Amino acid sequence: MRKHGRLMKNMAGLLLLLALLSLLLPFCKFNAGDGNMTLSGIEVIKTGGKAGYTYFKEGRLSENYVIKAPYTWGDIRDSVSYINHAGGANILVFCAVAIAVPLVLCFLSMFMLFMAEGKKTMFMPTLFTLVVVAEMLLIVFGITPLRPFLKIGVYLFTILNVIALLFIIAGWITGGYRHPDNRQSRYGYGGKGDTSKDGDDGNNNRSHRRKRRKTRRKTKKKKKTQKDKSSDGDNKKENNEDSENKEKKVSGEPVTGVISNGSGIYHGLSWNLKDGKDASVTIGTTFDAVEALESGSLRGIDSIAENNCRIVFDAAAKQYNIESHSKQAVLILQDGKVVKWLKNGDSYAVTSKAVLQVDGRRDAVKLG
């Protein structure tokens, strides 16, 4: 619902509230004995409350109980009985309905107006207010014999309902009960170029959007700077590692192409890559993988695929190229220090004597 539509329906709700309160004023008069009696909403509430309290306390109302001087409860009951015997019961029911309907519909319409949030929820209060206005105009202007008995409360109730209906209709005509334009989030209320005051704080929205755009730009710039710094750091780190690898490749004790001196699952195993037919060997990093590789059985192919390390000996460069395909990390040690930590998919080349060890276990084998 748009801002001016919300204002229209709330104004109509306040007018209906005032219309209900206006009935506390004198609303009718009639002949009572030698004079005229005037009734007001306040008197009806006070008299009804007092009579209800007396009936609740004593269980009945006496014949002499004064409702409003000079009328007693007995007089009212006899009058109703006389009208009923005379065939006027339908008239009494019609009068009661004519009085109750505008009051009930006005109250419901007021409540629904304050709760309404769109075209669908505005339909019923509009209909109720229209019915109340139609009935009150019929009573005030259509039934001429009743006019001398009506007082200010009825007229004020009618006028306030008419004004409330005009506010409601104005909201329908101007489209205030429709949902805001979908382009509001981008251009402000009513789309691009709309400079009317119907927008929900268009200037504030635009200012808020500008602030958000600036914040996003700053955040992106900051992330980009951090990313560039981190990439520079990674490049430097890789360059340092490459230089270290080159130094290790150039210097160091030459390797012999022999893998031996194993411990744990590698105890008693050795491979000679220099004199053998193949210049590479695949070793397992778990007991099941080692057994499967030794036996050549296809049953353990799954354990081999996820728990192996391939070692390739380059005779010309006299170095080992190690490729890890293991869930467990594989450590490369030289002089008792870890020089490389191989995760699954990593590779490393070593020229001097080194030890290959499975992380977290005593399974190790000497290279060279």
Side-chain angles (χ1 to χ4, degrees), residues 151-362:
K151 300 293 287 184
I152 185 173
V154 174
Y155 292 110
L156 192 56
F157 179 81
T158 304
I159 293 172
L160 290 172
N161 270 275
V162 171
I163 299 174
L165 181 62
L166 293 177
F167 273 98
I168 294 173
I169 293 175
W172 281 106
I173 294 174
T174 58
Y177 308 136
R178 294 199 301 264
H179 291 294
D181 198 320
N182 292 332
R183 294 174 294 176
Q184 177 182 0
S185 61
R186 183 174 179 181
Y187 298 119
Y189 194 88
K192 186 177 180 180
D194 186 3
T195 57
S196 63
K197 295 182 180 180
D198 292 337
D200 292 333
D201 298 330
N203 293 332
N204 292 334
N205 288 336
R206 285 190 291 272
S207 177
H208 182 63
R209 287 193 296 273
R210 284 195 294 269
K211 289 180 180 178
R212 286 193 298 177
R213 284 197 294 269
K214 289 181 180 179
T215 304
R216 285 198 296 267
R217 284 197 295 267
K218 290 180 179 178
T219 305
K220 289 181 180 178
K221 187 175 180 181
K222 185 176 180 181
K223 288 182 178 179
K224 186 176 181 181
T225 304
Q226 292 176 351
K227 186 177 180 180
D228 293 339
K229 289 181 179 179
S230 61
S231 62
D232 292 341
D234 294 338
N235 293 333
K236 291 179 180 178
K237 186 176 180 181
E238 290 178 359
N239 293 332
N240 292 333
E241 289 180 355
D242 292 339
S243 61
E244 290 177 0
N245 292 338
K246 290 180 180 179
E247 290 177 359
K248 289 178 181 177
K249 290 179 182 178
V250 173
S251 63
E253 191 175 341
V255 295
T256 61
V258 177
I259 303 173
S260 59
N261 296 334
S263 62
I265 59 176
Y266 305 119
H267 181 71
L269 301 177
S270 64
W271 298 269
N272 189 343
L273 303 180
K274 183 177 179 180
D275 299 333
K277 295 181 180 180
D278 299 324
S280 66
V281 65
T282 300
I283 63 174
T285 55
T286 62
F287 179 76
D288 294 337
V290 170
E291 277 196 336
L293 286 167
E294 288 293 317
S295 64
S297 174
L298 295 177
R299 294 182 180 179
I301 191 169
D302 292 337
S303 61
I304 295 174
E306 298 178 348
N307 301 283
N308 75 84
C309 183
R310 186 167 180 264
I311 304 173
V312 180
F313 176 66
D314 187 349
K318 294 185 180 294
Q319 67 180 13
Y320 294 99
N321 295 316
I322 305 168
E323 299 176 2
S324 174
H325 305 285
S326 173
K327 290 182 178 179
Q328 293 90 358
V330 176
L331 308 182
I332 307 298
L333 297 88
Q334 287 181 323
D335 298 329
K337 297 180 180 179
V338 178
V339 296
K340 190 64 178 178
W341 187 299
L342 296 180
K343 295 183 180 179
N344 192 357
D346 293 345
S347 62
Y348 185 72
V350 60
T351 56
S352 60
K353 293 182 179 180
V355 175
L356 183 150
Q357 182 177 350
V358 181
D359 182 34
R361 301 206 304 266
R362 299 181 62 184

